[in-house]
C-alpha cells in the first residue's frame, strides 16, 4: 500500500483500526456499511455479504480511491457476531479477484460461547490467495492480559515478514513476558479443561443478565455469540434520528455515571446503536442497567446542561 490508498472494512468497526493504519501507513478506511435491514441471502441484520463489498469497491473507484486491502474482525467488534465459514470464504475469493490483501483479526477467537462454532482462517485446507492473507491474534482479550500488550501475526508473505521484523525492533516483547506466556501456553490441560470453559460460562451468564436487564427496560440487542459486549439498539430513545441526538443521549448516560460507547465511534451508518460491555461482576451489570434506565427516562435538557457545564 501507498499513502492515500484505502482498504475495505465492514462498519461498524473498532475505531482504533483507522488510527493505527493512518499512523503507520497513511491509508484510509473505506467503510462497507452494515445496516439493520435483513441482509439478502443471510436472514440476519448487520451481516456482511459480498454484494456489500462490491458496492463499496464500486463507490471507492468512483471517488478515485485505490483499494488495496480488506480488513475483517472475526469474531466481530463491536457486533459480537461470528462469521460463518462460507461468508469468510466468499470474502477471501472476492479479495482474490481484486488482488487485495486480507487482514483477519481473530483476537476474540477463544471468547466464543452459546454453542456457536468459530471458523478460523487457519482451518481452511486451502486459501484463494495465501500470499495476501494475514491473520492477527493476541493475549489481551481471550486471556484477560491486556496489560502485557502481546500479539501475533501469521503470514506466508516474506515481504510482509521482513517488514514486521524491522518493526519488531521498536515493538519487542520483553523477555520476562515471553517466559510467562510460554509457561502459560504449555499448560494446555488447564487452559482447555479449566480456564476456557470457566471463562465462556461466565461470559455467557453475564451476557444473559445484561440482555434480560436491557430487554426489561425496552432495549433490544443484536444476537451475539462472542466477545465481551452487545450491540444495543437505543434508536427509539433518540429525540430524532441523527448522530447529534445520539451524542445527546450519550451525555445523558454519562450524567448518570454509566459509560457505553456510541455507534458513531465505530463508524456506524445508523445513529442510536451503542456497544455495552458486560465483562464485569453481576452486581455492576445490574447497577449499570439501572443507570441506563434512569438515563433513558431523563429529559434531553439535562444532557445539554451537562455538555455546557463540562465544555467550559
Amino acid at each position: 500500500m501507498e499513502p492515500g490508498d484505502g482498504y475495505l472494512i465492514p462498519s461498524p468497526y473498532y475505531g482504533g483500526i483507522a488510527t493505527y493504519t493512518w499512523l503507520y501507513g497513511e491509508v484510509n478506511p473505506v467503510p462497507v456499511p452494515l445496516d439493520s435491514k435483513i441482509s439478502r441471502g443471510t436472514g440476519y441484520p448487520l451481516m456482511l455479504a459480498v454484494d456489500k463489498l462490491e458496492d463499496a469497491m464500486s463507490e471507492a473507484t468512483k471517488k478515485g480511491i485505490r483499494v488495496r486491502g480488506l480488513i475483517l474482525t472475526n469474531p466481530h467488534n463491536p457486533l459480537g457476531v461470528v462469521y460463518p465459514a462460507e461468508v469468510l470464504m466468499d470474502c477471501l475469493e472476492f479479495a482474490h479477484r481484486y488482488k487485495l490483501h486480507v487482514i483477519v483479526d481473530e483476537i476474540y477467537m477463544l471468547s466464543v460461547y452459546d454453542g456457536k462454532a468459530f471458523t478460523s482462517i487457519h482451518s481452511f485446507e486451502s486459501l484463494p490467495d495465501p500470499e495476501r492473507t494475514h491473520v492477527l491474534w493476541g493475549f489481551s482479550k481471550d486471556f484477560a492480559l491486556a496489560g502485557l500488550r502481546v500479539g501475533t501475526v501469521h503470514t506466508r508473505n516474506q515481504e510482509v515478514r521482513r517488514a514486521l521484523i524491522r518493526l519488531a525492533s521498536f515493538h519487542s516483547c520483553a523477555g520476562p513476558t515471553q517466559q510467562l506466556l510460554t509457561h502459560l501456553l504449555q499448560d494446555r490441560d488447564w487452559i482447555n479443561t479449566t480456564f476456557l470453559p470457566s471463562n465462556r460460562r461466565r461470559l455467557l451468564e453475564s451476557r444473559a443478565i445484561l440482555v434480560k436487564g436491557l430487554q426489561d427496560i425496552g432495549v433490544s440487542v443484536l444476537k451475539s455469540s462472542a466477545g465481551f459486549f452487545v450491540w444495543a439498539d437505543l434508536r427509539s430513545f433518540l429525540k430524532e434520528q441523527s448522530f447529534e441526538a445520539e451524542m445527546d443521549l450519550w451525555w445523558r448516560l454519562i450524567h448518570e455515571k454509566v459509560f457505553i460507547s456510541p455507534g458513531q465511534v465505530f463508524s456506524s451508518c445508523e445513529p442510536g446503536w451503542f456497544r455495552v460491555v458486560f465483562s464485569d461482576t453481576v452486581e455492576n451489570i445490574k447497577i449499570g442497567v439501572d443507570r441506563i434506565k434512569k438515563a433513558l427516562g431523563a429529559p434531553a435538557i439535562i444532557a445539554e446542561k451537562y455538555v455546557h457545564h463540562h465544555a467550559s
Side-chain angles (χ1 to χ4, degrees), residues 140-152:
S140 61
K141 309 302 182 185
D142 290 333
F143 284 96
L145 293 172
L148 294 185
R149 314 303 292 173
V150 179
T152 66

Side-chain angles (χ1 to χ4, degrees), residues 51-295:
D51 60 333
K52 296 181 179 181
L53 294 175
E54 292 282 4
D55 291 344
M57 175 68 83
S58 177
E59 286 298 315
T61 301
K62 291 177 183 177
K63 295 177 181 178
I65 300 173
R66 187 174 68 158
V67 175
R68 300 297 301 278
L70 167 65
I71 295 181
L72 299 174
T73 304
N74 182 46
H76 193 278
N77 179 10
L79 299 182
V81 300
V82 179
Y83 288 136
E86 58 271 20
V87 171
L88 288 173
M89 183 54 71
D90 287 346
C91 291
L92 293 175
E93 290 174 347
F94 162 85
H96 182 44
R97 289 197 300 272
Y98 288 97
K99 294 183 172 56
L100 305 180
H101 283 265
V102 182
I103 299 174
V104 185
D105 186 349
E106 298 184 345
I107 198 165
Y108 290 99
M109 71 174 183
L110 300 179
S111 299
V112 179
Y113 38 82
D114 205 13
K116 188 72 173 181
F118 168 73
T119 301
S120 171
I121 294 298
H122 296 303
S123 68
F124 290 123
E125 292 186 5
S126 61
L127 298 173
D129 195 345
E131 285 291 310
R132 292 191 179 95
T133 305
H134 323 286
V135 185
L136 311 181
W137 181 78
F139 289 85
S140 61
K141 309 302 182 185
D142 290 333
F143 284 96
L145 293 172
L148 294 185
R149 314 303 292 173
V150 179
T152 66
V153 181
H154 183 277
T155 180
R156 300 182 191 179
N157 189 304
Q158 293 304 312
E159 186 176 354
V160 172
R161 285 170 56 87
R162 285 192 293 270
L164 290 172
I165 289 171
R166 293 190 184 98
L167 284 173
S169 299
F170 304 97
H171 300 276
S172 58
C173 180
T177 298
Q178 293 185 48
Q179 185 180 36
L180 185 154
L181 295 177
T182 298
H183 284 297
L184 171 64
L185 293 177
Q186 286 174 342
D187 196 348
R188 300 290 291 275
D189 183 62
W190 176 80
I191 290 174
N192 292 325
T193 64
T194 301
F195 175 74
L196 289 179
S198 297
N199 190 46
R200 289 165 179 156
R201 174 179 51 79
R202 291 173 180 175
L203 288 173
L204 186 58
E205 291 173 351
S206 295
R207 189 200 65 174
I209 293 169
L210 174 63
V211 170
K212 184 181 185 305
L214 292 176
Q215 289 176 340
D216 287 345
I217 62 176
V219 177
S220 61
V221 303
L222 180 72
K223 182 174 175 55
S224 60
S225 303
F228 312 150
F229 35 75
V230 296
W231 193 238
D233 184 1
L234 274 66
R235 289 176 294 173
S236 62
F237 296 94
L238 300 182
K239 61 183 180 182
E240 62 181 27
Q241 295 302 306
S242 68
F243 286 107
E244 290 77 12
E246 180 182 273
M247 288 306 296
D248 177 83
L249 178 54
W250 184 70
W251 278 111
R252 283 155 58 189
L253 291 159
I254 294 294
H255 180 74
E256 298 300 336
K257 297 182 174 60
V258 60
F259 185 95
I260 60 177
S261 301
Q264 58 191 278
V265 304
F266 300 100
S267 298
S268 172
C269 64
E270 296 177 335
W273 292 87
F274 285 74
R275 190 187 73 168
V276 188
V277 176
F278 56 77
S279 53
D280 207 330
T281 64
V282 171
E283 179 183 2
N284 284 343
I285 292 172
K286 292 180 177 179
I287 291 173
V289 171
D290 288 340
R291 291 179 178 179
I292 291 173
K293 179 180 180 180
K294 189 175 180 180

